[in-house]
Amino acid sequence: MPSRSLVVVSGGLSQPSSTRLLADRLTEAAVADLAARGIDTVVEVVELRPLAHDVVDMTLTGYARPELAAAQSALAGADGVVAVSPVYAASYAGLFKSFVDVLDPQALRATPVLLGATGGTVRHSLALEHALRPLFAYLQADVVPTTVFAATDDWADAGTEQVSPLPARIRRAAGELAARVAAREPVARGGIYDGVPSFEEMLGGA
Protein backbone atom coordinates (compact mmCIF):
# COMPACT_ATOMS: atom_id res chain seq x y z
CA MET A 1 0.00 0.00 0.00
CA PRO A 2 1.43 3.43 -0.93
CA SER A 3 1.89 5.86 1.95
CA ARG A 4 1.77 9.59 2.56
CA SER A 5 2.82 11.73 5.50
CA LEU A 6 0.39 14.03 7.26
CA VAL A 7 1.69 16.63 9.73
CA VAL A 8 -0.76 18.11 12.21
CA VAL A 9 -0.03 21.49 13.79
CA SER A 10 -2.06 22.20 16.92
CA GLY A 11 -1.73 25.70 18.36
CA GLY A 12 -3.82 25.08 21.48
CA LEU A 13 -2.52 26.73 24.64
CA SER A 14 -4.59 24.86 27.23
CA GLN A 15 -4.60 21.23 28.33
CA PRO A 16 -6.91 19.59 27.41
CA SER A 17 -7.39 21.65 24.28
CA SER A 18 -10.42 22.00 22.01
CA THR A 19 -7.93 23.01 19.31
CA ARG A 20 -6.20 19.63 19.60
CA LEU A 21 -9.60 17.92 19.63
CA LEU A 22 -10.56 19.55 16.34
CA ALA A 23 -7.14 18.76 14.86
CA ASP A 24 -7.57 15.11 15.83
CA ARG A 25 -11.07 14.91 14.29
CA LEU A 26 -9.86 16.45 11.04
CA THR A 27 -6.88 14.11 10.94
CA GLU A 28 -8.96 11.00 11.63
CA ALA A 29 -11.32 11.91 8.80
CA ALA A 30 -8.46 12.58 6.36
CA VAL A 31 -6.72 9.31 7.26
CA ALA A 32 -9.99 7.41 6.76
CA ASP A 33 -10.54 9.05 3.36
CA LEU A 34 -6.99 8.26 2.25
CA ALA A 35 -7.39 4.65 3.43
CA ALA A 36 -10.52 4.39 1.28
CA ARG A 37 -8.33 5.45 -1.64
CA GLY A 38 -5.84 2.66 -0.83
CA ILE A 39 -3.27 4.99 0.74
CA ASP A 40 -1.68 4.44 4.14
CA THR A 41 -0.92 7.56 6.20
CA VAL A 42 1.90 8.30 8.62
CA VAL A 43 0.75 11.01 11.03
CA GLU A 44 3.00 13.31 13.04
CA VAL A 45 1.53 15.80 15.51
CA VAL A 46 3.30 19.07 16.31
CA GLU A 47 1.98 20.58 19.54
CA LEU A 48 3.10 24.21 19.74
CA ARG A 49 2.64 24.71 23.48
CA PRO A 50 5.78 22.70 24.44
CA LEU A 51 7.75 24.50 21.70
CA ALA A 52 6.88 28.03 22.86
CA HIS A 53 10.27 28.82 24.41
CA ASP A 54 12.13 27.30 21.45
CA VAL A 55 10.12 29.45 19.05
CA VAL A 56 11.00 32.60 21.01
CA ASP A 57 14.67 31.57 21.17
CA MET A 58 14.82 31.07 17.40
CA THR A 59 13.08 34.39 16.82
CA LEU A 60 15.86 36.08 18.82
CA THR A 61 18.89 34.00 17.79
CA GLY A 62 18.03 32.47 14.42
CA TYR A 63 18.88 28.97 15.65
CA ALA A 64 16.40 26.14 16.19
CA ARG A 65 16.75 23.74 19.10
CA PRO A 66 16.38 20.05 18.21
CA GLU A 67 12.65 19.72 18.99
CA LEU A 68 11.76 22.79 16.95
CA ALA A 69 14.10 21.77 14.13
CA ALA A 70 12.38 18.37 14.02
CA ALA A 71 8.98 20.05 13.71
CA GLN A 72 10.23 22.30 10.92
CA SER A 73 11.70 19.33 9.06
CA ALA A 74 8.48 17.37 9.42
CA LEU A 75 6.48 20.18 7.82
CA ALA A 76 8.99 20.62 5.01
CA GLY A 77 8.66 16.90 4.19
CA ALA A 78 4.90 16.58 4.61
CA ASP A 79 2.57 15.39 1.87
CA GLY A 80 -0.27 17.22 3.61
CA VAL A 81 -0.82 19.45 6.63
CA VAL A 82 -3.67 20.01 9.08
CA ALA A 83 -3.16 23.35 10.85
CA VAL A 84 -5.48 24.46 13.67
CA SER A 85 -5.22 27.58 15.82
CA PRO A 86 -7.35 29.03 18.58
CA VAL A 87 -8.74 32.46 17.76
CA TYR A 88 -8.11 35.42 20.05
CA ALA A 89 -9.21 38.99 19.30
CA ALA A 90 -10.45 37.94 15.84
CA SER A 91 -7.16 36.41 14.67
CA TYR A 92 -4.84 33.43 15.11
CA ALA A 93 -2.97 32.90 18.37
CA GLY A 94 0.35 34.70 18.78
CA LEU A 95 2.24 31.44 19.31
CA PHE A 96 0.78 30.01 16.10
CA LYS A 97 1.93 33.05 14.12
CA SER A 98 5.35 33.04 15.78
CA PHE A 99 5.81 29.39 14.78
CA VAL A 100 4.91 30.21 11.18
CA ASP A 101 7.38 33.12 11.30
CA VAL A 102 10.30 30.76 12.01
CA LEU A 103 9.44 28.34 9.20
CA ASP A 104 11.43 28.37 5.99
CA PRO A 105 9.35 30.57 3.63
CA GLN A 106 9.40 27.73 1.05
CA ALA A 107 8.56 24.94 3.51
CA LEU A 108 4.86 24.71 2.61
CA ARG A 109 5.02 25.75 -1.04
CA ALA A 110 2.38 23.77 -2.98
CA THR A 111 1.69 21.58 0.07
CA PRO A 112 -2.01 20.74 0.57
CA VAL A 113 -3.19 22.35 3.82
CA LEU A 114 -6.46 22.05 5.71
CA LEU A 115 -7.13 24.98 8.04
CA GLY A 116 -9.14 24.85 11.24
CA ALA A 117 -9.79 27.16 14.16
CA THR A 118 -11.55 27.15 17.52
CA GLY A 119 -13.11 29.91 19.55
CA GLY A 120 -15.72 30.68 22.15
CA THR A 121 -18.38 31.87 19.73
CA VAL A 122 -19.12 31.78 16.01
CA ARG A 123 -18.28 35.48 15.84
CA HIS A 124 -14.65 34.38 15.49
CA SER A 125 -15.27 32.10 12.50
CA LEU A 126 -14.34 34.70 9.85
CA ALA A 127 -10.76 34.68 11.20
CA LEU A 128 -10.20 31.62 9.02
CA GLU A 129 -10.80 33.65 5.88
CA HIS A 130 -9.39 37.06 6.79
CA ALA A 131 -6.37 35.90 8.82
CA LEU A 132 -5.41 32.24 8.42
CA ARG A 133 -6.08 31.76 4.71
CA PRO A 134 -4.08 34.87 3.66
CA LEU A 135 -1.20 33.75 5.90
CA PHE A 136 -0.95 30.38 4.18
CA ALA A 137 -1.55 31.92 0.77
CA TYR A 138 1.55 34.05 1.42
CA LEU A 139 3.46 30.81 2.08
CA GLN A 140 2.16 29.53 -1.29
CA ALA A 141 0.48 26.56 0.34
CA ASP A 142 -2.31 24.75 -1.48
CA VAL A 143 -5.14 25.51 0.96
CA VAL A 144 -8.28 23.42 0.47
CA PRO A 145 -11.53 25.33 -0.11
CA THR A 146 -13.35 24.21 3.03
CA THR A 147 -12.12 25.49 6.39
CA VAL A 148 -13.51 24.28 9.72
CA PHE A 149 -14.36 26.46 12.71
CA ALA A 150 -15.57 24.93 15.97
CA ALA A 151 -17.16 27.12 18.64
CA THR A 152 -17.76 25.90 22.17
CA ASP A 153 -21.41 25.09 21.45
CA ASP A 154 -20.48 22.97 18.44
CA TRP A 155 -18.95 20.29 20.64
CA ALA A 156 -22.10 19.78 22.70
CA ASP A 157 -24.02 18.40 19.71
CA ALA A 158 -21.14 17.38 17.46
CA GLY A 159 -22.41 13.80 17.30
CA THR A 160 -25.83 14.79 15.98
CA GLU A 161 -25.67 16.11 12.43
CA GLN A 162 -29.31 17.23 12.58
CA VAL A 163 -28.24 19.70 15.29
CA SER A 164 -24.63 20.55 14.38
CA PRO A 165 -23.09 20.76 10.89
CA LEU A 166 -19.59 20.22 12.34
CA PRO A 167 -19.21 16.47 11.54
CA ALA A 168 -20.27 16.95 7.93
CA ARG A 169 -17.97 19.95 7.52
CA ILE A 170 -15.07 17.97 8.97
CA ARG A 171 -15.66 15.16 6.49
CA ARG A 172 -15.93 17.54 3.53
CA ALA A 173 -12.74 19.40 4.39
CA ALA A 174 -10.85 16.18 5.12
CA GLY A 175 -12.02 14.74 1.82
CA GLU A 176 -10.70 17.77 -0.03
CA LEU A 177 -7.34 17.39 1.69
CA ALA A 178 -7.17 13.66 1.01
CA ALA A 179 -7.96 14.18 -2.67
CA ARG A 180 -5.12 16.67 -3.08
CA VAL A 181 -2.66 14.56 -1.10
CA ALA A 182 -3.52 11.47 -3.13
CA ALA A 183 -3.13 13.33 -6.42
CA ARG A 184 0.45 14.44 -5.68
CA GLU A 185 3.63 12.43 -5.89
CA PRO A 186 5.00 11.63 -2.41
CA VAL A 187 7.41 14.25 -1.09
CA ALA A 188 11.05 13.15 -1.02
CA ARG A 189 12.01 12.55 2.58
CA GLY A 190 14.89 14.44 4.17
CA GLY A 191 15.00 17.18 6.78
CA ILE A 192 15.84 20.79 6.04
CA TYR A 193 18.63 20.60 8.61
CA ASP A 194 20.16 17.31 7.46
CA GLY A 195 23.93 17.59 7.68
CA VAL A 196 23.81 20.94 9.47
CA PRO A 197 25.40 20.89 12.96
CA SER A 198 23.25 22.08 15.85
CA PHE A 199 23.99 25.29 17.76
CA GLU A 200 25.12 23.18 20.73
CA GLU A 201 27.51 21.19 18.48
CA MET A 202 29.00 24.37 17.07
CA LEU A 203 29.62 25.68 20.56
CA GLY A 204 31.08 22.38 21.72
CA GLY A 205 34.61 23.28 20.71
CA ALA A 206 34.43 26.81 22.05
Side-chain angles (χ1 to χ4, degrees):
M1 179 181 289
S3 67
R4 299 291 191 278
S5 64
L6 193 63
V7 176
V8 184
V9 179
S10 173
L13 302 180
S14 60
Q15 291 182 327
S17 165
S18 61
T19 300
R20 175 62 189 272
L21 178 59
L22 178 58
D24 287 345
R25 295 285 177 84
L26 292 168
T27 303
E28 290 165 6
V31 169
D33 196 295
L34 284 164
R37 300 169 188 268
I39 297 174
D40 190 24
T41 310
V42 178
V43 176
E44 182 170 349
V45 178
V46 176
E47 285 271 12
L48 298 189
R49 188 174 186 270
L51 296 175
H53 291 292
D54 289 355
V55 169
V56 173
D57 288 346
M58 184 172 182
T59 301
L60 298 176
T61 67
Y63 292 99
R65 293 185 180 277
E67 291 81 5
L68 178 57
Q72 293 170 324
S73 292
L75 280 167
D79 293 303
V81 172
V82 174
V84 186
S85 172
V87 174
Y88 300 114
S91 190
Y92 36 65
L95 176 58
F96 186 90
K97 178 57 163 61
S98 294
F99 174 73
V100 171
D101 286 345
V102 298
L103 291 177
D104 184 307
Q106 301 298 314
L108 296 178
R109 185 176 184 181
T111 302
V113 175
L114 192 170
L115 296 176
T118 58
T121 72
V122 294
R123 291 182 302 163
H124 295 298
S125 60
L126 287 178
L128 277 161
E129 300 304 324
H130 73 68
L132 278 157
R133 190 182 291 277
L135 175 63
F136 282 81
Y138 172 79
L139 296 173
Q140 301 179 68
D142 180 16
V143 181
V144 303
T146 302
T147 58
V148 181
F149 180 85
T152 301
D153 290 345
D154 287 322
W155 297 113
D157 301 303
T160 308
E161 294 191 27
Q162 290 77 10
V163 177
S164 170
L166 183 60
R169 194 168 180 84
I170 286 173
R171 284 199 304 273
R172 182 166 73 249
E176 292 170 357
L177 178 67
R180 296 193 182 197
V181 169
R184 301 175 76 228
E185 289 296 319
V187 175
R189 303 294 176 245
I192 59 175
Y193 293 107
D194 287 356
V196 179
S198 68
F199 190 41
E200 289 82 1
E201 290 171 336
M202 288 188 288
L203 290 177

Short mmCIF file of all heavy atoms in Angstrom, two decimals, residues 10-42:
data_model
loop_
_atom_site.label_atom_id
_atom_site.label_comp_id
_atom_site.label_asym_id
_atom_site.label_seq_id
_atom_site.Cartn_x
_atom_site.Cartn_y
_atom_site.Cartn_z
N SER A 10 -1.03 21.79 15.97
CA SER A 10 -2.06 22.20 16.92
C SER A 10 -1.53 23.35 17.77
O SER A 10 -0.56 23.19 18.50
CB SER A 10 -2.45 21.02 17.82
OG SER A 10 -3.33 21.45 18.84
N GLY A 11 -2.19 24.51 17.64
CA GLY A 11 -1.73 25.70 18.36
C GLY A 11 -2.44 25.94 19.68
O GLY A 11 -2.39 27.04 20.22
N GLY A 12 -3.10 24.92 20.22
CA GLY A 12 -3.82 25.08 21.48
C GLY A 12 -2.90 25.42 22.64
O GLY A 12 -1.80 24.87 22.74
N LEU A 13 -3.34 26.30 23.51
CA LEU A 13 -2.52 26.73 24.64
C LEU A 13 -2.94 26.10 25.96
O LEU A 13 -2.21 26.19 26.96
CB LEU A 13 -2.57 28.26 24.78
CG LEU A 13 -2.10 29.04 23.54
CD1 LEU A 13 -2.20 30.53 23.80
CD2 LEU A 13 -0.67 28.65 23.17
N SER A 14 -4.11 25.48 26.00
CA SER A 14 -4.59 24.86 27.23
C SER A 14 -4.49 23.35 27.13
O SER A 14 -4.29 22.79 26.06
CB SER A 14 -6.04 25.27 27.50
OG SER A 14 -6.88 24.86 26.43
N GLN A 15 -4.59 22.69 28.29
CA GLN A 15 -4.60 21.23 28.33
C GLN A 15 -5.71 20.77 29.27
O GLN A 15 -5.66 21.11 30.46
CB GLN A 15 -3.25 20.71 28.80
CG GLN A 15 -2.13 20.92 27.79
CD GLN A 15 -0.80 20.34 28.27
OE1 GLN A 15 -0.51 20.33 29.46
NE2 GLN A 15 0.01 19.85 27.35
N PRO A 16 -6.71 20.02 28.81
CA PRO A 16 -6.91 19.59 27.41
C PRO A 16 -7.30 20.76 26.52
O PRO A 16 -7.69 21.82 27.02
CB PRO A 16 -8.04 18.57 27.53
CG PRO A 16 -8.80 19.01 28.72
CD PRO A 16 -7.78 19.53 29.69
N SER A 17 -7.21 20.55 25.23
CA SER A 17 -7.39 21.65 24.28
C SER A 17 -8.46 21.30 23.24
O SER A 17 -8.39 20.26 22.59
CB SER A 17 -6.06 21.93 23.58
OG SER A 17 -6.24 22.73 22.44
N SER A 18 -9.43 22.20 23.07
CA SER A 18 -10.42 22.00 22.01
C SER A 18 -9.76 22.12 20.64
O SER A 18 -10.23 21.52 19.66
CB SER A 18 -11.56 23.01 22.15
OG SER A 18 -11.09 24.34 22.03
N THR A 19 -8.68 22.88 20.57
CA THR A 19 -7.93 23.01 19.31
C THR A 19 -7.34 21.66 18.91
O THR A 19 -7.43 21.25 17.75
CB THR A 19 -6.83 24.06 19.45
OG1 THR A 19 -7.42 25.32 19.79
CG2 THR A 19 -6.03 24.22 18.17
N ARG A 20 -6.74 20.97 19.88
CA ARG A 20 -6.20 19.63 19.60
C ARG A 20 -7.33 18.66 19.25
O ARG A 20 -7.18 17.80 18.37
CB ARG A 20 -5.40 19.14 20.79
CG ARG A 20 -4.89 17.71 20.66
CD ARG A 20 -3.92 17.53 19.48
NE ARG A 20 -3.60 16.15 19.25
CZ ARG A 20 -2.60 15.49 19.83
NH1 ARG A 20 -1.81 16.13 20.68
NH2 ARG A 20 -2.36 14.23 19.57
N LEU A 21 -8.46 18.80 19.92
CA LEU A 21 -9.60 17.92 19.63
C LEU A 21 -10.06 18.08 18.18
O LEU A 21 -10.28 17.09 17.48
CB LEU A 21 -10.75 18.22 20.59
CG LEU A 21 -12.04 17.42 20.38
CD1 LEU A 21 -11.78 15.92 20.51
CD2 LEU A 21 -13.10 17.88 21.38
N LEU A 22 -10.17 19.33 17.73
CA LEU A 22 -10.56 19.55 16.34
C LEU A 22 -9.49 19.03 15.38
O LEU A 22 -9.81 18.41 14.36
CB LEU A 22 -10.80 21.05 16.09
CG LEU A 22 -11.17 21.43 14.65
CD1 LEU A 22 -12.43 20.71 14.19
CD2 LEU A 22 -11.32 22.94 14.51
N ALA A 23 -8.23 19.27 15.70
CA ALA A 23 -7.14 18.76 14.86
C ALA A 23 -7.20 17.24 14.74
O ALA A 23 -7.02 16.69 13.64
CB ALA A 23 -5.79 19.20 15.43
N ASP A 24 -7.48 16.57 15.85
CA ASP A 24 -7.57 15.11 15.83
C ASP A 24 -8.74 14.63 14.97
O ASP A 24 -8.61 13.67 14.21
CB ASP A 24 -7.72 14.57 17.25
CG ASP A 24 -6.43 14.66 18.06
OD1 ASP A 24 -5.36 14.87 17.46
OD2 ASP A 24 -6.52 14.52 19.30
N ARG A 25 -9.89 15.31 15.08
CA ARG A 25 -11.07 14.91 14.29
C ARG A 25 -10.81 15.10 12.80
O ARG A 25 -11.18 14.25 11.97
CB ARG A 25 -12.28 15.73 14.72
CG ARG A 25 -12.74 15.48 16.15
CD ARG A 25 -13.45 14.16 16.32
NE ARG A 25 -13.81 13.92 17.70
CZ ARG A 25 -14.91 14.38 18.29
NH1 ARG A 25 -15.77 15.12 17.59
NH2 ARG A 25 -15.17 14.10 19.56
N LEU A 26 -10.18 16.20 12.44
CA LEU A 26 -9.86 16.45 11.04
C LEU A 26 -8.88 15.41 10.51
O LEU A 26 -9.01 14.92 9.39
CB LEU A 26 -9.28 17.86 10.87
CG LEU A 26 -10.24 19.03 11.11
CD1 LEU A 26 -9.47 20.34 11.20
CD2 LEU A 26 -11.29 19.10 10.01
N THR A 27 -7.89 15.09 11.34
CA THR A 27 -6.88 14.11 10.94
C THR A 27 -7.48 12.73 10.76
O THR A 27 -7.20 12.03 9.78
CB THR A 27 -5.75 14.07 11.97
OG1 THR A 27 -5.20 15.38 12.13
CG2 THR A 27 -4.67 13.10 11.56
N GLU A 28 -8.31 12.31 11.72
CA GLU A 28 -8.96 11.00 11.63
C GLU A 28 -9.78 10.88 10.35
O GLU A 28 -9.75 9.85 9.67
CB GLU A 28 -9.85 10.78 12.85
CG GLU A 28 -9.09 10.57 14.15
CD GLU A 28 -9.98 10.72 15.37
OE1 GLU A 28 -11.22 10.88 15.19
OE2 GLU A 28 -9.47 10.68 16.49
N ALA A 29 -10.50 11.94 10.00
CA ALA A 29 -11.32 11.91 8.80
C ALA A 29 -10.46 11.85 7.54
O ALA A 29 -10.78 11.15 6.57
CB ALA A 29 -12.24 13.13 8.76
N ALA A 30 -9.35 12.60 7.52
CA ALA A 30 -8.46 12.58 6.36
C ALA A 30 -7.79 11.23 6.20
O ALA A 30 -7.67 10.71 5.08
CB ALA A 30 -7.41 13.68 6.50
N VAL A 31 -7.36 10.64 7.31
CA VAL A 31 -6.72 9.31 7.26
C VAL A 31 -7.72 8.27 6.74
O VAL A 31 -7.36 7.41 5.93
CB VAL A 31 -6.19 8.93 8.65
CG1 VAL A 31 -5.78 7.46 8.69
CG2 VAL A 31 -5.00 9.81 9.03
N ALA A 32 -8.96 8.36 7.21
CA ALA A 32 -9.99 7.41 6.76
C ALA A 32 -10.25 7.57 5.26
O ALA A 32 -10.40 6.57 4.54
CB ALA A 32 -11.27 7.62 7.55
N ASP A 33 -10.30 8.81 4.78
CA ASP A 33 -10.54 9.05 3.36
C ASP A 33 -9.38 8.53 2.52
O ASP A 33 -9.58 7.92 1.46
CB ASP A 33 -10.75 10.55 3.12
CG ASP A 33 -11.37 10.84 1.76
OD1 ASP A 33 -10.72 10.55 0.74
OD2 ASP A 33 -12.50 11.35 1.73
N LEU A 34 -8.16 8.76 2.98
CA LEU A 34 -6.99 8.26 2.25
C LEU A 34 -6.96 6.73 2.25
O LEU A 34 -6.61 6.11 1.24
CB LEU A 34 -5.70 8.81 2.87
CG LEU A 34 -5.41 10.28 2.53
CD1 LEU A 34 -4.35 10.85 3.47
CD2 LEU A 34 -4.94 10.41 1.08
N ALA A 35 -7.34 6.11 3.37
CA ALA A 35 -7.39 4.65 3.43
C ALA A 35 -8.39 4.10 2.43
O ALA A 35 -8.16 3.07 1.79
CB ALA A 35 -7.75 4.20 4.85
N ALA A 36 -9.52 4.81 2.26
CA ALA A 36 -10.52 4.39 1.28
C ALA A 36 -9.98 4.48 -0.14
O ALA A 36 -10.49 3.81 -1.04
CB ALA A 36 -11.78 5.24 1.43
N ARG A 37 -8.97 5.32 -0.33
CA ARG A 37 -8.33 5.45 -1.64
C ARG A 37 -7.14 4.50 -1.79
O ARG A 37 -6.39 4.56 -2.76
CB ARG A 37 -7.84 6.89 -1.84
CG ARG A 37 -8.94 7.94 -1.80
CD ARG A 37 -8.35 9.35 -1.74
NE ARG A 37 -9.37 10.36 -1.50
CZ ARG A 37 -10.03 11.02 -2.45
NH1 ARG A 37 -9.72 10.79 -3.71
NH2 ARG A 37 -10.94 11.91 -2.16
N GLY A 38 -6.94 3.63 -0.78
CA GLY A 38 -5.84 2.66 -0.83
C GLY A 38 -4.50 3.24 -0.44
O GLY A 38 -3.46 2.71 -0.83
N ILE A 39 -4.52 4.32 0.35
CA ILE A 39 -3.27 4.99 0.74
C ILE A 39 -3.12 4.95 2.25
O ILE A 39 -4.03 5.37 3.00
CB ILE A 39 -3.26 6.45 0.25
CG1 ILE A 39 -3.30 6.50 -1.27
CG2 ILE A 39 -2.03 7.19 0.78
CD1 ILE A 39 -3.42 7.89 -1.85
N ASP A 40 -2.00 4.44 2.72
CA ASP A 40 -1.68 4.44 4.14
C ASP A 40 -1.14 5.82 4.53
O ASP A 40 -0.52 6.50 3.70
CB ASP A 40 -0.64 3.36 4.44
CG ASP A 40 -0.45 3.15 5.93
OD1 ASP A 40 -1.38 3.46 6.70
OD2 ASP A 40 0.63 2.67 6.32
N THR A 41 -1.34 6.22 5.77
CA THR A 41 -0.92 7.56 6.20
C THR A 41 -0.08 7.48 7.47
O THR A 41 -0.46 6.83 8.45
CB THR A 41 -2.14 8.46 6.48
OG1 THR A 41 -3.04 8.41 5.38
CG2 THR A 41 -1.70 9.90 6.71
N VAL A 42 1.06 8.14 7.44
CA VAL A 42 1.90 8.30 8.62
C VAL A 42 1.63 9.69 9.18
O VAL A 42 1.84 10.70 8.50
CB VAL A 42 3.39 8.15 8.26
CG1 VAL A 42 4.26 8.37 9.50
CG2 VAL A 42 3.66 6.78 7.66
#
